[in-house]
Amino acid sequence: MRTNGITLQRSERKLLAVCATAASAVLLKPAINTMSAKYGLVGYNSSRKHISISIPSSTEVMSPHIKSVEELRVLGINLSSFSAPTQFFICVAGVFLFYLIYGYLQELIFSVEGFKPFGWYLTLVQFGFYSMFGLVELQLTQDKRRRIPGKTYMIIAFLTVGTMGLSNTSLGYLNYPTQVIFKCCKLIPVMIGGVFIQGKRYNLADVSAALCMSLGLIWFTLADSKVAPNFNVTGVLLISLALCADAAIGNVQEKAMKLHNGSNSEMVLYSYSIGFVYILTGLLCVGGLGTAVAFCSEHPVKTYGYAFFFSLTGYFGISFVLALIKLFGALVAVT
């Protein structure tokens, strides 16, 4: 009987322990949920693979406007409140509107007599304006933290310098219709970049459509152009290298923005400010900065004045391009 009594007491203790554990779990559940929400323990109860801990410091306050990682704003417009077809229409309309003006101003600047050798300096000025615009837009938002790693921005800045600098410089050797012909082929290297950078796979219909579209655009450009294309060897090499850089940058941006949920203003600010340092260092080493500054000082309205509006429209266009990349992918954006 003593043995049975001891066994009974042990059973009662175990039962009481189980009840106490269950009661404490019920009582502590609201506190655990509160701490999870406060310290970013997302998905704690669902799967340990999806835990994301983000503990703010004493000086860092989480921005109250961040309600969802899917929220996307372009020039103050919250695209998340629209349907997917409406988002696509808004982005495409913005790209067409601002880049039509951008292309006109780009050719207008190079029509200034004596400006053609200063394509890299124009890119330097353009990157400076982009950095200022991105800084202003970022200051207007409540969340100013950098989400994408600095190493990724250094790669994006290098590719951006390559695609824009080489593209601007090629206009010193090629006329605008020739440059457009090469840009019509951008879809093909972007698909190749998607395969190697993001591991994407395209079927035969996608590849055939890309080839047919590129050829159709080239034929349309040649038929509609009143000025014969000028295939200068140096210009062709420059624009080809620009296309290679352009093929990589869209895929790297898409991967970085989706992985780290970076904003458009953050992407523009850091990538173009780092690119500004790249170009400035290069011009100082080569020694072509003083001549360009002296020439632009003699024609400030036709150089810096046009460059400001050229950069402004380009910045607006880039904002919509980045939105397209984040929402629909690099291939759709280039198409």
Side-chain angles (χ1 to χ4, degrees):
M1 292 297 291
R2 181 178 179 82
T3 304
N4 293 336
I6 294 174
T7 304
L8 181 61
Q9 288 180 1
R10 288 178 180 177
S11 301
E12 290 176 351
R13 289 176 182 176
K14 289 182 180 180
L15 181 61
L16 289 173
V18 171
C19 294
T21 303
S24 61
V26 173
L27 292 173
L28 290 176
K29 186 175 181 181
I32 293 173
N33 292 337
T34 303
M35 292 180 65
S36 300
K38 181 178 181 181
Y39 293 109
L41 299 176
V42 181
Y44 180 80
N45 295 324
S46 59
S47 175
R48 294 183 64 182
K49 295 181 180 179
H50 300 287
I51 292 177
S52 176
I53 302 177
S54 176
I55 302 178
S57 62
S58 58
T59 58
E60 182 183 21
V61 179
M62 298 296 291
S63 300
H65 81 289
I66 303 178
K67 298 180 180 179
S68 172
V69 296
E70 301 297 331
E71 182 175 323
L72 178 62
R73 292 183 178 273
V74 181
L75 303 182
I77 305 173
N78 186 7
L79 296 181
S80 305
S81 59
F82 299 99
S83 61
T86 306
Q87 291 174 346
F88 181 78
F89 176 78
I90 293 174
C91 292
V92 170
V95 169
F96 270 81
L97 173 63
F98 292 113
Y99 272 111
L100 281 173
I101 305 173
Y102 176 90
Y104 171 76
L105 291 173
Q106 184 183 42
E107 191 171 10
L108 186 64
I109 293 173
F110 278 95
S111 65
V112 178
E113 187 177 355
F115 188 79
K116 287 187 176 181
F118 307 125
W120 278 106
Y121 181 71
L122 174 64
T123 310
L124 177 70
V125 175
Q126 186 178 2
F127 273 51
F129 281 128
Y130 281 1
S131 301
M132 288 190 295
F133 297 152
L135 180 61
V136 171
E137 185 177 2
L138 193 64
Q139 293 302 312
L140 296 177
T141 62
Q142 296 183 16
D143 185 43
K144 302 177 179 62
R145 294 175 299 167
R146 177 172 57 84
R147 298 175 180 271
I148 300 176
K151 292 182 180 179
T152 305
Y153 276 127
M154 294 180 70
I155 298 173
I156 294 175
F158 179 79
L159 295 172
T160 306
V161 169
T163 183
M164 298 186 66
L166 294 170
S167 180
N168 287 339
T169 308
S170 68
L171 276 178
Y173 302 91
L174 305 174
N175 53 15
Y176 196 72
T178 311
Q179 189 191 53
V180 172
I181 289 174
F182 279 89
K183 286 188 174 182
C184 290
C185 302
K186 189 193 301 184
L187 194 62
I188 298 173
V190 167
M191 293 184 71
I192 298 174
V195 172
F196 287 101
I197 296 174
Q198 301 193 71
K200 291 185 176 182
R201 293 294 180 266
Y202 302 100
N203 54 36
L204 183 60
D206 294 331
V207 177
S208 302
L211 292 174
C212 292
M213 182 177 179
S214 299
L215 291 175
L217 287 170
I218 291 173
W219 287 335
F220 178 81
T221 303
L222 289 174
D224 189 60
S225 177
K226 297 181 181 179
V227 181
N230 176 26
F231 293 98
N232 183 279
V233 177
T234 304
V236 169
L237 179 61
L238 291 173
I239 194 64
S240 299
L241 292 174
L243 284 178
C244 293
D246 214 355
I249 187 174
N251 289 286
V252 175
Q253 286 175 335
E254 178 186 353
K255 188 174 182 179
M257 293 180 73
K258 288 184 176 180
L259 185 62
H260 303 284
N261 193 35
S263 62
N264 292 354
S265 55
E266 176 197 337
M267 175 67 70
V268 173
L269 172 61
Y270 287 99
S271 59
Y272 285 95
S273 58
I274 296 174
F276 180 87
V277 176
Y278 287 165
I279 300 174
L280 181 61
T281 304
L283 288 176
L284 290 175
C285 294
V286 173
L289 185 62
T291 308
V293 172
F295 178 85
C296 293
S297 299
E298 296 176 359
H299 310 83
V301 177
K302 292 185 178 181
T303 54
Y304 294 117
Y306 290 164
F308 173 79
F309 292 103
F310 167 68
S311 303
L312 184 63
T313 54
Y315 178 81
F316 290 157
I318 285 175
S319 299
F320 284 104
V321 169
L322 291 175
L324 271 175
I325 291 175
K326 192 170 185 178
L327 291 171
F328 303 100
L331 183 63
V332 174
V334 173
T335 305

